Amino acid sequence: MTALKKIYQSLITKWQAITEYRFFLPAFFIVGLLFCIVVSCFDLMDQYIQLILMYIGINIILTVSLNLINGYMGEFSVGHAGFMAIGAYIASLLTIGVFPQSSGSFFFPLAVLAGGIGAALIGFLVAIPSFKTRGDYLAIVTLAFGMIVKSIIENIDAIGGPRGLLGMDKLSTLPWVFFWTALSVWIIRNLVYSNFGRGVLSIREDEIASDLMSVNTRQVKVIVFVVSSFFAGIAGGLFAHVLQYINPRMFDIIKSTDILIMVYLGGIGSIAGSILGAVIYTVLLEVLRPLGVWRMVFMPLMLVLLMIYRPRGIMGLRESRLFTPISDLLSMKFHRQKKEADNASS
Amino acid sequence: MIYILQQALNALQLGSIYALIALGYTMVYGILTMINFAHGDLFMVGAFFCFLIAVYLKLSFVPTLLLSMLGVASLGVIIERFAYKPLRNAPRVSAIITALGVGLFLENFTLALSPYPQHIPTLINSTTWNLGGVSVSSLQIIIIVLSLALMFILDFIVQRTKVGMAMRAISWDKTIVPLMGVPVNKIISLTFAIGTGLGGAAGVMYGLAYPVIDPYMGIMVGWKAFISAVVGGIGNIRGAMIGGFILGSVEIMVAAFLPSTYRDVVSFALLLILLIFRPYGILGKPHPQKV
């Protein structure tokens, strides 16, 4: 027992040392990207596992971006799949129709980006009227928005209507998904710890107080909503090119519920939590596949139990050291040492 | 003209079903300020209870309706007791997520038990009358009259009885009311029982009107009923009834004059437009945030 404790202690100190090392995350990014490129070029991994990894990446993007609204800002949005659908359709239409098929892989990032920008524009249109009042208003508006997007796509025959859209090449490869995932996590993490991000957090804690502290709450909310829908659009573009087939029913309310579950499973207001939530949910769904229909019975049951015994999710409102800024870590360390010194002297 | 009258009758039928479900949303919201997203699935469970009772017990319409309402009401109370009560002091969002989880559980559990759509046998031998060109079936009349009767009973309970007074008091102020000797837990359970029982009744009627039922039927109908509750002003019981009839008429009229695939787009767009001008619904009152 004591031996185990010792090992745990030494691991903790090592972990602290690693997280205080400035270049750990960039190094992790480069190594991971190289690893993904090597794996997908030389086909070192089972195709099925690669597919699961790509799904995990896409789900991480979705979860982290929804966490920005639901976790950090404390609003309740339920229409994330709608933005995903917009991104997926724009990106697929671009790669099928506009960009030359032969050099599709060069234009793929542009297509994904365009999908994100399209989703962000629509997000802007939704956000302007949604933040007139607080509370469940946003939930209702985004709910209606998700259903409107689905019905509109079903009614446009030129993009396949209810039959769906197919003919995309398999352009989403493991390195691309890794790149976009890392990029979105990086951007959202920096956004949260920026000056602007503090404003976002203050809205969650007390909107009136933050208004009095000269945070332009309306503007901050709109910007956060636009950023979040941008990343949902990007995830949609990637998703369409993994599956090579999309139809409007994929992006209905059940998909939005899935994303919500990942956010609240991992814990609100935590990037590490979102990543954990997306990974656990995606992997569990795959591992439990032999159970057939019953796995879909156990997943919600687990969610309910989790909510009853840990209402904030796995990492609720706590952040892994990996994603906290170095300055915060150092000041935390300084205060801890000072406290220990005080205790020792007294 | 006759066409419009005919559609108005259909609208009344659909609207009364929406209104019954919307009442469940609005009652739970009024008393707990929580959106019970599992309510649409309780409606689905009501239709499945109706199917089970009609096929295996071979009862007639009235006992089937009462038994289904009773079954769904007890299910609602059990869900409240085991899933929502532990979260009463947790952040509101956890309760909403729990409700989503309970809804998914009900859907998938029913799906695991009955993978194929089921067909409810005819419980009422419907006769169709022709009133000056408008065809009226006795089933439609029964659905409309029964739902109106249920709504009037509910309105009577809430406005005129002691229990109803307790419900209104709890939704007014949750901290003072227990000090006045109101058994809060019992009243909340009763609210859940009544609200989900009405949902179960709506499930039975929906099953009789559109006899093919499947485990996912509750999602769309449930969300639409929720939107009716919002249109009427969530938390307001009369508002939920009005909202249900409004949404039912809009849907039927859109389907009557436009291609029916535009039904959802138009009804949700109308919801958004309404919310821009009246953010608290038709009968809802704004509750400004106090510092």
Side-chain angles (χ1 to χ4, degrees), chain A residues 130-331:
Chain A
S130 322
F131 291 116
K132 283 179 84 176
T133 55
R134 204 178 148 72
D136 305 318
Y137 194 66
L138 182 70
I140 297 157
V141 172
T142 47
L143 171 72
F145 163 77
M147 294 192 181
I148 287 176
V149 167
K150 182 182 162 244
S151 315
I152 287 180
I153 293 175
E154 274 178 351
N155 278 312
I156 302 177
D157 216 40
I159 56 172
R163 291 185 310 280
L165 189 63
L166 77 174
M168 295 80 93
D169 292 325
K170 196 176 168 73
L171 295 172
S172 288
T173 49
L174 201 51
W176 271 124
V177 174
F178 182 84
F179 170 77
W180 284 110
T181 309
L183 188 75
S184 51
V185 169
W186 182 67
I187 291 177
I188 289 177
R189 180 257 184 215
N190 280 0
L191 189 78
V192 168
Y193 284 104
S194 68
N195 211 347
F196 176 82
R198 303 292 175 184
V200 176
L201 292 185
S202 73
I203 291 180
R204 177 184 70 197
E205 298 303 334
D206 191 332
E207 192 176 344
I208 292 174
S210 75
D211 222 352
L212 294 175
M213 304 286 277
S214 82
V215 176
N216 186 347
T217 48
R218 183 101 188 263
Q219 191 190 355
V220 168
K221 283 177 181 177
V222 171
I223 293 174
V224 166
F225 199 81
V226 167
V227 170
S228 175
S229 33
F230 172 77
F231 285 110
I234 288 207
L238 292 170
F239 179 76
H241 290 86
V242 171
L243 221 59
Q244 295 168 272
Y245 169 68
I246 44 176
N247 73 32
R249 277 184 311 284
M250 285 173 185
F251 305 105
D252 60 1
I253 187 78
I254 299 175
K255 183 78 191 169
S256 295
T257 318
D258 266 358
I259 307 169
L260 277 176
I261 289 177
M262 287 188 272
V263 170
Y264 289 97
L265 177 78
I268 54 167
S270 160
I271 286 173
S274 293
I275 295 174
L276 260 179
V279 172
I280 291 176
Y281 189 75
T282 321
V283 170
L284 257 186
L285 272 189
E286 290 303 323
V287 170
L288 294 179
R289 202 169 272 279
L291 290 177
V293 190
W294 288 97
R295 89 193 152 128
M296 296 311 288
V297 179
F298 289 122
M299 288 309 288
L301 206 59
M302 273 171 42
L303 182 78
V304 171
L305 291 178
L306 183 91
M307 278 295 135
I308 291 175
Y309 293 106
R310 274 192 81 99
R312 290 187 187 284
I314 297 172
M315 295 279 294
L317 297 179
R318 287 179 301 145
E319 191 55 280
S320 157
R321 297 175 63 87
L322 212 54
F323 296 106
T324 19
I326 306 280
S327 53
D328 280 20
L329 284 183
L330 289 180
S331 76

Side-chain angles (χ1 to χ4, degrees), chain B residues 27 31-32 77 80-81 85 88 163-164 166-167 170 177-178 181-194:
Chain B
M27 286 176 77
I31 207 160
L32 288 180
V77 172
E80 195 274 329
R81 177 67 193 76
K85 200 178 165 205
R88 217 171 275 167
V163 172
M167 285 177 187
I170 292 176
V177 167
V182 175
V184 174
N185 283 334
K186 262 188 206 159
I187 297 291
I188 289 177
S189 294
L190 192 70
T191 311
F192 262 86
I194 295 176

Side-chain angles (χ1 to χ4, degrees), chain B residues 168-249:
Chain B
R168 282 179 290 143
I170 292 176
S171 75
W172 189 259
D173 190 326
K174 245 192 275 332
T175 37
I176 301 295
V177 167
L179 302 178
M180 307 287 161
V182 175
V184 174
N185 283 334
K186 262 188 206 159
I187 297 291
I188 289 177
S189 294
L190 192 70
T191 311
F192 262 86
I194 295 176
T196 51
L198 290 178
V204 173
M205 290 182 213
Y206 192 87
L208 293 179
Y210 312 95
V212 180
I213 56 173
D214 70 285
Y216 289 120
M217 68 189 245
I219 302 178
M220 213 47 198
V221 178
W223 286 116
K224 283 191 179 151
F226 170 64
I227 280 172
S228 333
V230 172
V231 166
I234 193 152
N236 186 313
I237 286 180
R238 286 179 184 163
M241 299 177 194
I242 295 174
F245 284 111
I246 290 178
L247 193 71
S249 350

